[in-house]
Amino acid sequence: MKAIQRKDGHRSRRYLFRNWTSLSEVRSIARASAWDEVGVTPDVPGDSAEDLVAVWELLPGLRATYTRESALSAAHVVITSKVAPEEIDSAVALFEAHPGVLTFEDLIQQATSTRDPESEAEAVARAGLGAPLVADARFTDTIQNASASPHTRVREGALWAMAYTEWIDFSGTLEQIARSDPDEFLRDFATRVLRVFEHLGLEST
């Protein structure tokens, strides 16, 4: 499966890059593929913004969006389509085997190999950001384990990961966190994630 349906069309998974200042790499792909660059926000000289969004139109209704998020030290590309989902398949082929893109194994290894709470929280959130379109036991186990961490920051990273995946499999865990996590912010956060799932049309288990 290369695309998942959402209310405003279809989207691919997010392809996370090893180098989070990788806009030049994506621009090279775009030029070689004759994509039309719609714009970059903010448009600053020398690719210097810590957080930015760049958009290309591949075909009418088919777009590639590159997002850099300094809070996660992450950069990713997602393909969205308001036309046939099959249009996404050819576009994502450019990223499926790209050496600059983190594999699923890379994401899991990063999320499970650190014991520093801040680094672990970021790595777990990145795992959710770059997760497959459908639930995968490697990711659910890693994120579930993080959600039970004694460290508040790691549990927060797990909540971000659950939100990014949009997997209804996490609804039970989210409900439990919303009821009983010792941190009020995380209880509220879990409640908001459940509301997002409801907005997306995901049915609660």
Side-chain angles (χ1 to χ4, degrees):
M1 176 186 286
K2 304 299 183 186
I4 192 168
Q5 186 171 8
R6 287 295 177 251
K7 291 183 178 179
D8 56 352
H10 293 79
R11 72 164 176 86
S12 71
R13 71 176 179 91
R14 303 176 192 91
Y15 294 87
L16 270 66
F17 282 80
R18 299 179 188 280
N19 176 9
W20 74 284
T21 56
S22 50
L23 179 58
S24 60
E25 293 181 53
V26 182
R27 276 187 164 142
S28 295
I29 293 170
R31 283 194 296 269
S33 304
W35 296 351
D36 181 26
E37 186 167 314
V38 176
V40 180
T41 306
D43 189 5
V44 295
D47 184 21
S48 59
E50 289 190 349
D51 298 277
L52 62 78
V53 176
V55 180
W56 293 265
E57 187 169 70
L58 288 64
L59 297 168
L62 185 67
R63 288 191 167 191
T65 301
Y66 170 91
T67 304
R68 179 189 296 162
E69 301 183 52
S70 60
L72 293 180
S73 301
H76 60 85
V77 167
V78 64
I79 310 296
T80 55
S81 175
K82 293 186 177 180
V83 290
E86 292 77 16
E87 298 288 353
I88 289 178
D89 290 358
S90 58
V92 300
L94 296 167
F95 301 101
E96 285 285 331
H98 192 286
V101 171
L102 291 164
T103 66
F104 294 145
E105 291 75 15
D106 291 331
L107 291 167
I108 294 298
Q109 192 275 333
Q110 290 180 3
T112 57
S113 63
T114 179
R115 291 297 174 263
D116 169 65
E118 187 66 29
S119 298
E120 182 180 359
E122 288 186 11
V124 169
R126 283 196 300 270
L129 189 65
L133 292 175
V134 295
D136 179 306
R138 295 169 297 177
F139 286 82
T140 54
D141 290 350
T142 298
I143 296 167
Q144 293 274 21
N145 288 340
S147 74
S149 170
H151 300 287
T152 302
R153 185 69 182 89
V154 175
R155 299 199 307 278
E156 181 183 350
L159 283 173
W160 279 110
M162 293 180 204
Y164 289 138
T165 66
E166 300 176 357
W167 292 345
I168 196 60
D169 304 63
F170 287 126
S171 60
T173 301
L174 287 165
E175 289 166 359
Q176 181 179 354
I177 294 170
R179 287 193 306 268
S180 60
D181 193 277
D183 187 274
E184 181 180 4
F185 171 77
L186 297 189
R187 294 196 300 272
D188 291 343
F189 189 176
T191 299
R192 293 197 301 273
V193 176
L194 286 166
R195 288 173 182 161
V196 170
F197 282 12
E198 182 179 0
H199 177 73
L200 290 171
L202 306 178
E203 295 183 357
S204 180
T205 55

